[in-house]
Amino acid sequence: MASSIISKPFLGATKPNSSLSSDLQRPSFAPTHISIKPTTLKKLQIQAAGSTFGNYFRVTTFGESHGGGVGCIVDGCPPRIPLSEADLQVDLDRRRPGQSRITTPRKETDTCQIFSGVSEGVTTGTPIHVFVPNTDQRGHDYKEMSIAYRPSHADATYDMKYGVRAVQGGGRSSARETIGRVAPGAIAKKILKQFSRTEVLAYVSQVHQVVLPDGSVDHDTVTLDQIESNIVRCPNPEYAEKMIAAIDAVRTRGDSIGGVVTCIVRNAPRGLGSPVFDKLEAELAKAVMSLPATKGFEFGSGFSGTFLTGSEHNDEFYTDEHGRIRTRTNRSGGIQGGISNGEIINMRVAFKPTATISKKQQTVTREKQEIELLARGRHDPCVVPRAVPMVEAMVAMVLVDQLMAQHGQCNLFPINPELQEPLSFNLPKFEQANM
C-alpha cells in the first residue's frame, strides 16, 4: 500500500499583497502527491556453505568423487610467483589413489590443469582455477549404499542435514575432495619456501599398534626423500616395514586400521598467530581436523604434558651465538601464547580406521529398516600414507594466511629491530639463483 506526502508552502513565504494590481494573480500552491512504495525487508541469510578456507589466502574446493572432476579456486595468491602444473603435480601424485598395494586400487592419474590466475609462467594475483578430471568412476559399486547407511560414514548425517545426498563415492565426503586442498597447499609451500625458507614436512608416526618411538626421527634434519623412501611414508626404515606389514594383514581380511601423522614446520617466521580466538595452534587444529577421518589433534607436548610439573614442562630461554632468543627445549611446540616463537612447530593428527570395509555390518536403510550391509567399492585399508600430503597442505595454507595477516598488521611500518625480526629471509644471491 502506497503512502502519500502533501507538500506545503515554504515557511516564511511572502503572502500576496491585496493592494497590488488586480491583474497580479495570487500564487497558487497546489498540493503535490508523492507515492512511496513500501520497502520489502530482505531475509537475513547465514552463509554456511563450508567449502571455503582462509581469510587472505582463500581456497574454495568443489566437485565430488564420481562427478566430472574436482578442484579448487585459490584467491589472494601473491602475484609474480613462478607457477606451473608441474609444481602442483608433485604433491598430487603423493596423494593420488592406486600408488601402492596399501592404498585404494582406484586408478586415477590426478593430472591437474590450471585454467586461470597464471600467465606466462607466473601468478597474476587473480583467482587461480585448478581442475582435476575424474576418469575411473564405478557408480554401480554403490547400489547398496543408495538405500542403506555405511556405519561411521557420512551417509546418514548428509541425509539428516540436506535431505538428499550424492550416493556414488560418498560425494563431497569422499577423500577425493582433498585434491582441492593439496593443490593450493603446494602453492602455499612454494610461497613459504621462497619468502622465508619455511619447510612443512609430515610423516607417518603410527599405524594401528606400530608406534614410532619418541626421538627416533630428528626433526632438525629429516628430509622429504627419507619420508618418501617407502610406501607408508615413515622415515624410519625398520618401523616402516612393520607398518606396511600391519596394513597388508588387515587388507587381506577386508578390514581397516587407523594411525597418526606427525607434521613439523622448520624456519617458521616469528609472530604468526593472534591472541585469544585466533591462536596459531587453534587455526592449525581447525585446518587439519577438517580433513576426512581425523579424530584427534596434539600439539607440542600434547596430552603427555599433563604428566609433568611446571618446572619440568617450561621451555627455558637462552641467547644463541647469533644473538637470537631461543628455547632450550620445545615442549611448547614452537608456539607460545598462540604466536610462533621461531622454534620447530610440531603436531600430531590421529586418523580413524577407514569406515568402508569389506565385511558385513549391521545398519539401517533410509526407510529405517535394520539390515545387513556388505559395502563395495575401492577404499584404503589405512588412510595415513595418503594423508601425509593432505596434512602438509592444510598446515601450509594456515601459515601463508597468517603470514599475510602479520605482514599487513605488524609489518606495514618499520619493525622494532630490538624486539622483532623481518618476516622474510634474505638469501644470498647465489642461493636465490639456485632455488
Side-chain angles (χ1 to χ4, degrees), residues 7-10 13-14 16 27-31:
S7 66
K8 296 182 178 180
F10 289 110
T14 304
S28 175
F29 298 96

Side-chain angles (χ1 to χ4, degrees), residues 197-211:
R197 277 205 324 179
T198 302
E199 292 180 282
V200 181
L201 290 173
Y203 61 88
V204 175
S205 54
Q206 178 181 338
V207 168
H208 199 216
Q209 297 178 4
V210 182
V211 183

